[in-house]
Amino acid sequence: MTINKLKSAGLKITNQRVIVLNYLFNTQERHLSAEDIFRDLRLNGEDVGQATVYRVLNQLEEAGMLERHYFDGSKAYYELSSNSHHDHLVCLHCGKIIEFFDPFIEQRQQEIAEQYDMKLSHHNLYMFGYCLNPDCHRDI
Ligand SMILES: [Zn+2]
Ligand SMILES: [Zn+2]
């Protein structure tokens, strides 16, 4: 599966790309920083360097296999590209990331773009806040 996906994205099959992609296909967490990915790969006993992981993530993003997000402004988070568009709600305290899709918001964005004579290619909508769940900010 991983190898076919690399092929259809037009990328050469290298060990490092297969290792990073296999990890992303198999992990439960959908949004991960390069640091998270590197740490988990090492914990899994993979022999990959940090610079390699960063480079592979860039290549996969350029090939359209990953989406890159800057939820907190500085650190990049990666997720596997999917056919279904979604936006994100981010907790500023615990870092929880919730995916949502709202047809009304999507449609309004189209209308706003048209109103300003623009054809939308894509958008990123991040909403920030704090979980109401007491498990999140009990320690504030
Ligand atoms: Zn939270
Ligand atoms: Zn997402």
Side-chain angles (χ1 to χ4, degrees):
M1 164 163 151
T2 300
I3 288 177
N4 287 338
K5 296 234 175 186
L6 279 169
K7 276 188 189 156
S8 53
L11 288 174
K12 268 204 210 125
I13 293 150
T14 66
N15 264 342
Q16 291 101 329
R17 287 174 183 166
V18 171
I19 288 169
V20 170
L21 267 183
N22 268 340
Y23 165 76
L24 291 170
F25 284 128
N26 291 315
T27 187
Q28 298 296 319
E29 186 59 60
R30 286 182 41 78
H31 310 88
L32 291 152
S33 69
E35 292 80 7
D36 295 333
I37 294 165
F38 172 66
R39 186 203 53 222
D40 286 354
L41 287 174
R42 295 306 287 252
L43 286 173
N44 293 348
E46 301 290 359
D47 181 23
V48 284
Q50 189 162 17
T52 304
V53 170
Y54 281 63
R55 192 177 61 244
V56 167
L57 289 170
N58 267 320
Q59 293 163 343
L60 296 175
E61 195 265 338
E62 277 167 25
M65 299 184 77
L66 298 182
E67 281 181 39
R68 184 191 286 139
H69 302 288
Y70 291 95
F71 293 126
D72 61 5
S74 56
K75 196 159 54 160
Y77 287 81
Y78 295 89
E79 73 173 292
L80 287 166
S81 299
S82 66
N83 297 327
S84 55
H85 169 77
H86 60 263
D87 290 305
H88 298 92
L89 256 169
V90 182
C91 176
L92 292 167
H93 185 65
C94 70
K96 180 162 89 178
I97 298 164
I98 298 164
E99 298 185 336
F100 71 92
F101 177 84
D102 184 303
F104 185 67
I105 290 178
E106 299 298 320
Q107 187 184 340
R108 277 304 291 148
Q109 291 182 115
Q110 290 296 343
E111 289 165 4
I112 290 163
E114 278 166 31
Q115 198 179 319
Y116 289 95
D117 276 334
M118 285 198 67
K119 181 176 165 16
L120 270 193
S121 62
H122 62 283
H123 71 266
N124 283 312
L125 173 63
Y126 305 136
M127 290 168 40
F128 299 93
Y130 297 94
C131 300
L132 291 177
N133 181 342
D135 283 346
C136 168
H137 50 270
R138 184 184 352 238
D139 51 328
I140 292 182

